[in-house]
Amino acid sequence: MNAKPTVSAPPEALEAAILDLARQRGSEKTICPSEVARHLGGPHPDGWGPLMVPVRRVAVRLAHEGKIVIYRKGKPVDPDDFKGVYRLGAPREE
């Protein structure tokens, strides 16, 4: 039997990776959710691909908590109502 290994990461690890990568990038730049997934799952798509939905779930929660901002086409979006390609960033200082 050739079953693929299940790849998962606890929400705490996802949260830490999102916040750390966003902080490293700075408040004027954003990160791609796949960067977070690759950070935890490695370079092969079988490793990071299954983490994309959990990354999104944790990103939405962090956006509700005000710890990150979700961007689409360079503009902040409602964490409960966005589709397609998105990016994550630290809250920008006014």
Side-chain angles (χ1 to χ4, degrees):
M1 189 182 272
N2 252 352
K4 286 185 181 180
T6 303
V7 178
S8 65
E12 299 80 18
L14 294 168
E15 177 177 343
I18 291 169
L19 295 174
D20 187 48
L21 292 170
R23 182 188 50 76
Q24 287 178 29
R25 190 68 47 94
S27 63
E28 295 301 314
K29 295 186 179 180
T30 60
I31 60 171
C32 180
S34 67
E35 290 177 63
V36 178
R38 284 181 174 97
H39 180 76
L40 295 170
H44 195 278
D46 286 346
W48 63 264
L51 296 175
M52 292 300 293
V53 170
V55 166
R56 183 182 178 107
R57 275 193 220 111
V58 171
V60 166
R61 179 176 54 79
L62 291 173
H64 280 293
E65 294 172 1
K67 295 180 179 177
I68 64 161
V69 178
I70 298 173
Y71 294 94
R72 177 144 166 73
K73 297 183 180 181
K75 307 265 192 261
V77 296
D78 178 347
D80 293 323
D81 187 29
F82 69 98
K83 296 178 183 174
V85 177
Y86 66 100
R87 295 187 63 84
L88 307 171
R92 294 188 175 148
E93 298 171 16
E94 300 296 318

